[in-house]
Amino acid sequence: MLLCIDTGNTNSVFSIWDGKEFLSHWRISTDHRRTADEYFVWLQTMIGLRHFDLDIDACIISTTAPRVLFNLRVLCNRYFNTRPVVVGRPGSLLPTEPRVDAGTKVGPDRLANAVAAFDRHGGNSVVVDFGTATNLDLVDTDGAYIGGVIAPGVNLSLEALHMAAAALPHVDVTMPEKVIGTNTVACIQSGIYWGYIGLIEGLIRRIQAEREAPLKVIATGGLAPLFDQGFDLFDAIEDDLTVHGLRLIYDYNKEAGNV
């Protein structure tokens, strides 16, 4: 079995692939203080609740939080007796290399999303990833990652607004009934929700104008369904896009004799 670990700045997702399908996905908060032993106890407990054997013999890691990587490597080495593939690090191969400015380091989650989007939807596509940051990533006709856009994430924007303006409360993200709010909470919710709808619509329109070709728009991340309520922003919503990309990257490295 293959253990796919996608570690973001806020949350980490652990997924197990049995060769045919993902058996389960589990989410845990990202914390660089968490040890390999703690990861293993937690993972063993979660797997036990699903009543299947802990038979992991391969691992792949994508992390945008470098300080957690050491303990994740120890987890793979100590408990699964395997050297993990770490996306974006030397020794990890990609089906198609990104075409970006020399010296640019592309987030491994963005690379995995590009690989997965190309596999499921083909080239000329844009991945909108609602994470700590809101990323829009462009996939070329041959599957190469060729750049994108990074904007503040929805929850990050809410938190910054609350922290910088003491009089403003922290609110949940939801679709307001009207654009014009008649109380403080409604005003903030409208600004965030309709503001991000406008942000995504505008960026997609400008990206399409630069590409001069129709683009497929694929959304991923926990907030994607919230921003797809009747607006036809996305051609597809893929909850497991990143881990699907990790699985494909691992298979590519295995076929190339790299693991």
Side-chain angles (χ1 to χ4, degrees):
M1 291 182 180
L2 171 66
L3 174 62
C4 298
I5 305 174
D6 172 32
T7 301
N9 292 298
T10 305
N11 292 313
S12 300
V13 176
F14 288 65
S15 303
I16 293 182
W17 173 261
D18 71 350
K20 296 181 180 179
E21 62 180 349
F22 281 105
L23 299 179
S24 196
H25 306 282
W26 299 286
R27 187 177 296 268
I28 191 172
S29 60
T30 300
D31 185 350
H32 70 275
R33 297 168 299 180
R34 187 173 286 116
T35 67
D37 301 329
E38 290 173 311
Y39 278 121
F40 180 73
V41 170
W42 169 77
L43 189 59
Q44 188 178 45
T45 301
M46 301 306 293
I47 289 174
L49 292 173
R50 289 295 307 273
H51 305 292
F52 59 82
D53 294 331
L54 186 65
D55 189 23
I56 294 167
D57 57 8
C59 300
I60 184 167
I61 299 170
S62 161
T63 180
T64 57
R67 289 203 291 173
V68 306
L69 182 57
F70 174 77
N71 283 317
L72 291 175
R73 285 185 184 271
V74 173
L75 169 71
C76 299
N77 292 331
R78 178 181 298 166
Y79 288 104
F80 307 126
N81 195 31
T82 182
R83 178 177 175 270
V85 174
V86 181
V87 179
R89 294 299 178 96
S92 173
L93 304 176
L94 294 171
T96 308
E97 289 299 313
R99 292 192 287 273
V100 293
D101 293 343
T104 299
K105 291 185 178 180
V106 181
D109 54 335
R110 304 174 82 182
L111 296 173
N113 284 344
V115 171
F118 183 71
D119 178 68
R120 287 181 170 172
H121 301 280
N124 261 351
S125 57
V126 177
V127 178
V128 183
D129 189 352
F130 293 91
T132 305
T134 299
N135 297 329
L136 285 80
D137 296 310
L138 188 60
V139 184
D140 209 349
T141 53
D142 62 349
Y145 172 89
I146 56 172
V149 177
I150 300 176
V154 177
N155 287 315
L156 186 63
S157 295
L158 280 169
E159 188 66 27
L161 188 63
H162 173 63
M163 294 295 292
L168 297 181
H170 194 287
V171 303
D172 294 330
V173 185
T174 188
M175 177 182 174
E177 295 182 2
K178 299 182 297 181
V179 176
I180 300 174
T182 53
N183 58 70
T184 302
V185 169
C187 289
I188 296 173
Q189 288 175 332
S190 181
I192 291 293
Y193 187 84
W194 297 114
Y196 270 87
I197 289 288
L199 172 76
I200 295 163
E201 286 179 329
L203 286 173
I204 290 171
R205 185 168 60 249
R206 289 179 178 275
I207 291 170
Q208 287 180 327
E210 286 190 9
R211 291 291 291 173
E212 299 180 343
L215 295 171
K216 296 175 285 292
V217 183
I218 302 98
T220 190
L223 291 177
L226 178 64
F227 291 94
D228 193 47
Q229 300 185 66
F231 300 105
D232 200 28
L233 284 176
F234 312 124
D235 296 299
I237 296 178
E238 305 277 5
D239 293 336
D240 65 342
L241 191 71
T242 308
V243 293
H244 177 63
L246 292 180
R247 193 269 295 180
L248 293 172
I249 293 170
Y250 180 84
D251 287 349
Y252 182 79
N253 280 266
K254 186 176 181 179
E255 290 169 6
N258 198 43
V259 293

